[in-house]
Amino acid sequence: MHELTLVALNQEPEEEIGWQERSLCAQTDPEAFFPEKGGSTREAKKVCVGCEVRAECLEYALANDERFGIWGGLSERERRKLKKRAV
């Protein structure tokens, strides 16, 4: 997992971490989920499509205002748009 994710994991109550342990991204290259600016998000999103905890991941990212990386299959820009539509 990426360093930012590890910091978040260390601050979560133990029962809240369960979904992250079951995530497919935890079993793959973390660099794909935190591409350089302008880099492709395609590979990360392919992993997210088949992930059983995609909804929990997206919910976490929205609730914690994650500003970097692919969470729940969405980029930061896509999450921002989703939040605006929800308001």
Side-chain angles (χ1 to χ4, degrees):
M1 291 189 146
H2 191 271
E3 292 170 4
L4 294 175
T5 305
L6 291 175
V7 171
L9 283 173
N10 290 334
Q11 296 173 353
E12 291 291 317
E14 191 169 318
E15 64 275 3
E16 304 250 338
I17 299 173
W19 69 265
Q20 292 173 329
E21 291 175 346
R22 297 188 326 268
S23 66
L24 291 178
C25 63
Q27 304 164 32
T28 58
D29 179 15
E31 295 300 317
F33 294 88
F34 295 88
E36 296 291 323
K37 187 171 181 167
S40 176
T41 60
R42 187 177 303 138
E43 290 304 312
K45 289 180 177 185
K46 280 185 189 177
V47 172
C48 292
V49 167
C51 187
E52 70 178 64
V53 295
R54 182 178 178 181
E56 291 93 332
C57 180
L58 180 57
E59 183 179 324
Y60 173 87
L62 294 171
N64 292 283
D65 198 28
E66 287 291 342
R67 296 181 186 255
F68 302 100
I70 305 302
W71 292 81
L74 299 180
S75 67
E76 192 273 333
R77 183 177 4 183
E78 293 165 329
R79 291 191 303 274
R80 230 182 7 248
K81 287 180 184 178
L82 183 64
K83 273 185 145 179
K84 285 181 182 180
R85 283 187 291 202
V87 174

